[in-house]
Amino acid sequence: MRGGGLLVAGTTSDAGKSVVTAGICRWLVRKGLKVAPFKGQNMSLNSFVTREGAEIGRAQAMQAQAARVEPTALMNPVLLKPGSDRSSQVVLMGRPVGELSARGYHGGRQKELFEPVLACLEELRSTYDAVICEGAGSPAEINLRRTDIVNMGIARAARLPVVVVGDIDRGGVFAQFFGTTALLAPEDQELVAGYLVNKFRGDVTLLEPGLDMLLGLTGRRTFGVLPYAHGLGIDEEDGLRVSLRGAVRESVVAPPVGEDVLRVAVCAMPLMSNFTDVDALAAEPGVVVRFVDRAEELVDADLVVVPGTRGTVRALAWLRERGLADALARRAAEGRPVLGVCGGFQVLGEHIEDEVESKAGAVDGLGLLPVRVRFARQKTLARPVGEALGEHVEGYEIHHGVAEVLGGEPFLDGCRVGAVWGTHWHGSLESDGFRRAFLREVAAAAGRRFTPAPDTSFGALREEQLDRLGDLIEEHADTDALLRLIEEGAPRGLPFVPPGAP
């Protein structure tokens, strides 16, 4: 087989498209097929840098790992990074090409990107046995269909069969499946082969009468009922399974190796980006990670993480308005641990000069690190390798701010003063030896009898999670029927479900 394909659409955002796509990729690669993921247009503040220095969505990097291939810009040619409620930075083939309002993007620029997106998909299909594409939001967003380059627009152009995923945990999944299909134009409906139920709890036999009625109403079958799976912790898009004052990704905290647990509070700043940096901390036995937005929630934290953000100056103002800035200053004065990553590193510095992101000009930082930051128009995209705390470290950089470090102890590309650390490197905590050394330093500074587990491998845990996704597909979906779809396309003669698109 060469050039097979499938589009995984969803009835809503967060229906499970990302994880289903990853699961299908892992199932297929375990069958011996050469597989690639693809998402024509992604809107996310969680991004990743490929080895060639291109910025893509972290979900597509995760799906590439599921497919056991190296991620490339071809897999996510258009990435939108929101900078406000009404505008986003447009990243094309891994490089920023400008800032556009939603109206400006959908009004013309998106249509211009259709051919490059389609060309990327066709290049992947010429190289791989199968390309598993992820849609965005819902294919039935009829107000956006004319300029669509990620759902039915790309499916129709590439003649891809479509499976629609619905989150039954939210309720109303039958209405979602029927309504999604019925709001598509006849030419689009021809490609919708059927449905996948996601996050089901309970006895599946109780669901089967509804699935039979759905088949009678639409002429389309359901390809599987995937059970609710706890604690997957897989990189998706913004805010999935993360809530303020809630644990990271439903992660199950294993018992500590030492006598104490270690409590980590992550400041949930506006336009928070790459919050996946703390997933490696949450994977450690005895480490409890929570997102917080109130100063009093920092009091009992052993470590406070100030994460990345797409709006450094805006985040700085937010920290001050909520009293978090003063709380961070008190922690620094008391020698209690604080880690700033990327935008979080920048706000901990003395001074910010920003004529690019916020256009605010000169702004005072929190002054906890001897660093001055100047925003450059060209974005830094890199995959650095180095050493810190006597351990090998790998990471990736995505930032406009250029830091001038004026003192302190060197720490990756940033610095350390007392118990305050700052770096631009995302992903550094995924380096197991470094993470353990860092947590030992944090525990000592916090006065906790916490001992990092000697054998936690974040990479191995990630592989286990991806295998679980592959297992979900293999055990709970009709894989023979899915394989026929991927190889042969949508069945002929699928009935039209009225009324169709207006």
Side-chain angles (χ1 to χ4, degrees):
M1 177 172 67
R2 177 54 59 89
L6 176 71
L7 176 70
V8 179
T11 57
T12 63
S13 295
D14 196 17
K17 297 183 293 293
S18 295
V19 294
V20 168
T21 299
I24 293 173
C25 285
R26 178 52 59 101
W27 158 61
L28 287 172
V29 77
R30 292 194 308 207
K31 285 181 64 66
L33 298 178
K34 187 179 178 185
V35 190
F38 178 80
K39 186 164 185 173
Q41 171 197 293
N42 196 352
M43 177 174 279
S44 179
L45 288 173
N46 285 331
S47 57
F48 181 77
V49 179
T50 67
R51 293 206 180 279
E52 71 266 29
E55 185 179 8
I56 66 172
R58 271 199 72 101
Q60 280 61 66
M62 174 271 293
Q63 291 160 358
Q65 186 177 351
R68 297 181 179 145
V69 295
E70 191 66 34
T72 73
L74 290 172
M75 298 172 184
N76 180 207
V78 179
L79 174 64
L80 305 179
K81 302 193 73 176
S84 70
D85 292 340
R86 296 192 175 187
S87 68
S88 295
Q89 183 180 68
V90 181
V91 179
L92 176 62
M93 292 303 294
R95 299 289 173 181
V97 294
E99 197 91 12
L100 280 178
S101 67
R103 181 176 292 275
Y105 182 70
H106 290 288
R109 186 62 192 270
Q110 188 179 33
K111 192 173 181 180
E112 295 173 11
L113 296 173
F114 183 80
E115 291 302 326
V117 166
L118 187 59
C120 289
L121 174 58
E122 292 308 317
E123 185 171 344
L124 289 173
R125 293 183 78 179
S126 70
T127 307
Y128 290 86
D129 297 327
V131 179
I132 309 303
C133 307
E134 179 188 346
S138 163
E141 291 167 353
I142 54 179
N143 56 316
L144 303 177
R145 176 61 183 90
R146 183 177 57 84
T147 55
D148 170 47
I149 63 172
V150 66
N151 289 308
M152 301 311 300
I154 203 78
R156 198 194 296 187
R159 303 306 300 170
L160 291 172
V162 178
V163 171
V164 181
V165 177
D167 178 359
I168 197 170
D169 198 49
R170 294 182 174 189
V173 75
F174 293 117
Q176 293 170 23
F177 285 144
F178 182 86
T180 297
T181 308
L183 277 178
L184 299 178
E187 297 83 359
D188 290 345
Q189 287 193 25
E190 288 175 3
L191 297 171
V192 177
Y195 314 107
L196 262 174
V197 177
N198 192 29
K199 302 183 188 176
F200 181 73
R201 309 173 195 246
D203 184 350
V204 73
T205 61
L206 299 177
L207 191 66
E208 288 171 353
L211 301 179
D212 291 339
M213 285 187 275
L214 184 66
L215 173 62
L217 288 166
T218 67
R220 289 159 174 85
R221 58 166 300 178
T222 299
F223 288 91
V225 178
L226 308 182
Y228 195 104
H230 292 274
L232 285 172
I234 292 291
D235 299 346
E236 298 187 63
E237 294 172 4
D238 298 318
L240 302 188
R241 290 196 299 278
V242 175
S243 61
L244 295 184
R245 295 174 294 282
V248 178
R249 304 262 175 66
E250 305 165 349
S251 57
V252 178
V253 180
V257 174
E259 295 179 46
D260 287 345
V261 298
L262 209 62
R263 297 173 178 84
V264 179
V266 184
C267 297
M269 304 191 298
L271 299 173
M272 183 171 55
S273 63
N274 287 72
F275 53 76
T276 47
D277 285 336
V278 300
D279 284 357
L281 294 178
E284 282 286 345
V287 176
V288 182
V289 180
R290 300 177 71 83
F291 286 85
V292 304
D293 63 347
R294 297 194 297 248
E296 56 268 29
E297 293 176 293
L298 303 190
V299 174
D300 67 347
D302 301 308
L303 168 67
V304 174
V305 177
V306 189
T309 172
R310 171 84 164 87
T312 300
V313 171
R314 177 177 168 184
L316 185 56
W318 181 86
L319 290 169
R320 287 178 168 135
E321 288 165 4
R322 289 181 168 262
L324 289 160
D326 291 338
L328 290 168
R330 286 193 297 272
R331 289 187 67 90
E334 295 165 0
R336 303 178 65 205
V338 176
L339 170 65
V341 180
C342 201
F345 167 41
Q346 294 167 9
V347 305
L348 297 179
E350 297 172 350
H351 184 79
I352 296 170
E353 194 74 35
D354 181 12
E355 298 291 349
V356 176
E357 190 176 77
S358 68
K359 300 180 172 58
V363 179
D364 288 334
L366 299 185
L368 305 186
L369 290 175
V371 173
R372 298 176 71 86
V373 176
R374 177 186 55 81
F375 274 69
R377 297 200 175 278
Q378 184 171 352
K379 182 184 285 191
T380 296
L381 297 169
R383 290 277 293 269
V385 176
E387 185 175 299
L389 305 180
E391 298 286 348
H392 176 78
V393 189
E394 297 181 17
Y396 58 98
E397 294 183 65
I398 306 169
H399 53 93
H400 284 279
V402 178
E404 180 186 6
V405 179
L406 303 172
E409 300 175 42
F411 178 69
L412 302 176
D413 69 330
C415 64
R416 170 187 182 177
V417 174
V420 180
W421 294 266
T423 177
H424 274 129
W425 289 23
H426 294 292
S428 62
L429 293 167
E430 295 180 18
S431 298
D432 297 327
F434 167 71
R435 182 180 64 256
R436 287 192 277 270
F438 177 71
L439 289 176
R440 283 192 289 268
E441 294 257 349
V442 168
R448 290 284 185 186
R449 293 189 296 274
F450 170 85
T451 302
D455 55 356
T456 301
S457 167
F458 185 74
L461 288 171
R462 175 53 50 87
E463 278 297 303
E464 288 175 15
Q465 291 167 330
L466 293 171
D467 274 331
R468 285 180 64 196
L469 292 180
D471 293 343
L472 285 174
I473 298 298
E474 196 164 340
E475 295 169 11
H476 300 281
D478 186 337
T479 52
D480 289 341
L482 284 177
L483 195 58
R484 282 196 300 273
L485 271 186
I486 292 166
E487 292 177 336
E488 301 171 10
R492 294 178 181 272
L494 291 168
F496 171 69
V497 180

